[in-house]
Amino acid sequence: MTTVTEQQALPKHVAIIMDGNGRWAESKGKHRVFGHKHGVKSLRKAISFANEKKIEVLTIYAFSSENWKRPEKEVNMLMELFFTVLGSEVKKLHKHNIKLKIIGDISGFSERLQKKVQQAEALTQANDGLVLNVAANYGGRWDITHATKKLTRMVLQGDLTIDEITEDKINNTISLGELPAVDLMIRTGGDHRISNFLLWQLAYAELYFCDVLWPDFNGDAFQDALDVFAGKERRFGQTSEQVAPR
Ligand code: IPE
Ligand code: IPE
Ligand code: MG
């Protein structure tokens, strides 16, 4: 049973950069693709863990706008894996009342994959359990650019004035704006960088980096991140005294 204090210390929204698949495979003398396939198993574990812990939103980085620069064979294989996994997992997600949403420039994908994405989102759209956002062909700079274009169009059409472009307005236009802010961002694989993930949305997230390679990430590793998060004092610009519980 979770106590009230434990519940308060739990992040509502966790974002994950699932990194290290290639190195994991190479360390075993295998092709990088082997690591991506094992990465799917870790993803399943992370989703069940988030669901059991009653985390409200999980946002995962599956394919960045820069990942197109990888060798064509690896990109093709990742697209194929995305297609297969969407097909095989969506019913399970639906059964667990999980709402799936893809964030990113879907128009960069094949027609076949775009259709699969739309079907998966449609099936789960009325679910009110865990919200699972998959960032695919996503870049934080793309997201900001996309929101800017949307707002500019509204101004040109006379539906918005320049003074109405506030932080709230941008927040409501950019990806994930309708959801609780990201509380915790986890990156596996040992690198301490954002790699063009949620640039706007991570403004006040706690950042947690671990050396575990993504295919080795499991419930214990996720729990370690939650434990570190629970020990953080989040001040949002205020002093420690101001935010201390009375
Ligand atoms: C993350 O693992 C998965 C994707 C970017 C699709 P990597 O493929 O980046 O693995 P490393 O970082 O090369 O080990
Ligand atoms: C970030 O990992 C993207 C995803 C996990 C999908 P990368 O492996 O692409 O990041 P860099 O290139 O090391 O910064
Ligand atoms: Mg990587």
Side-chain angles (χ1 to χ4, degrees):
M1 211 180 77
T2 44
T3 65
V4 174
T5 344
E6 272 171 333
Q7 201 61 38
Q8 278 168 350
L10 193 71
K12 279 189 181 162
H13 188 162
V14 178
I16 308 182
I17 300 179
M18 312 182 290
D19 196 26
N21 292 349
R23 279 165 285 163
W24 184 87
E26 280 157 10
S27 75
K28 294 181 157 37
K30 306 267 191 187
H31 193 273
R32 296 175 58 84
V33 167
F34 183 68
H36 295 313
K37 288 189 174 154
H38 272 263
V40 175
K41 295 185 186 175
S42 296
L43 177 56
R44 262 189 222 116
K45 286 184 205 164
I47 296 168
S48 330
F49 183 87
N51 205 22
E52 279 162 27
K53 285 277 162 185
K54 303 250 181 300
I55 287 168
E56 292 177 28
V57 189
L58 181 66
T59 299
I60 52 140
Y61 206 8
F63 191 86
S64 78
S65 42
E66 285 71 38
N67 287 147
W68 294 109
K69 296 180 204 157
R70 292 191 177 197
E72 197 182 336
K73 241 174 117 180
E74 183 170 342
V75 170
N76 289 343
M77 184 273 144
L78 282 167
M79 291 301 140
E80 210 43 53
L81 189 64
F82 190 29
F83 185 84
T84 315
V85 171
L86 266 179
S88 65
E89 302 296 309
V90 73
K91 284 203 185 90
K92 270 185 259 171
L93 296 178
H94 186 45
K95 208 179 102 201
H96 286 99
N97 194 26
I98 295 170
K99 181 175 177 169
L100 177 72
K101 174 107 175 57
I102 311 299
I103 59 164
D105 187 5
I106 298 303
S107 70
F109 294 135
S110 67
E111 293 275 330
R112 184 175 84 118
L113 186 49
Q114 288 186 45
K115 213 166 154 203
K116 198 83 169 174
V117 163
Q118 282 152 7
Q119 285 167 348
E121 286 184 339
L123 179 70
T124 66
Q125 64 148 352
N127 292 344
D128 60 3
L130 174 74
V131 176
L132 175 65
N133 302 300
V134 177
N137 193 16
Y138 178 88
R141 288 178 171 180
W142 166 83
D143 204 359
I144 293 170
T145 308
H146 187 63
T148 306
K149 281 186 182 164
K150 260 195 192 170
L151 293 174
T152 308
R153 213 167 283 128
M154 286 171 75
V155 171
L156 290 177
Q157 284 167 353
D159 296 330
L160 188 75
T161 67
I162 288 180
D163 286 341
E164 282 167 348
I165 302 179
T166 58
E167 289 190 14
D168 277 349
K169 188 74 195 169
I170 295 176
N171 203 48
N172 293 335
T173 311
I174 208 161
S175 301
L176 312 179
E178 71 285 10
L179 297 166
V182 180
D183 297 303
L184 170 65
M185 196 286 291
I186 300 172
R187 181 177 186 139
T188 62
D191 286 312
H192 294 203
R193 57 176 173 253
I194 304 292
S195 299
N196 201 16
F197 196 26
L198 308 161
L199 299 178
W200 171 278
Q201 297 88 340
L202 293 180
Y204 256 107
E206 297 297 327
L207 306 181
Y208 177 87
F209 300 96
C210 62
D211 290 335
V212 179
L213 300 173
W214 179 251
D216 288 328
F217 192 81
N218 56 18
D220 288 345
F222 205 149
Q223 187 59 53
D224 287 346
L226 294 186
D227 290 344
V228 169
F229 176 84
K232 295 283 175 196
E233 180 183 68
R234 305 186 74 200
R235 295 187 289 278
F236 299 98
Q238 293 183 287
T239 66
S240 194
E241 204 177 18
Q242 284 175 296
V243 297
R246 284 160 208 278

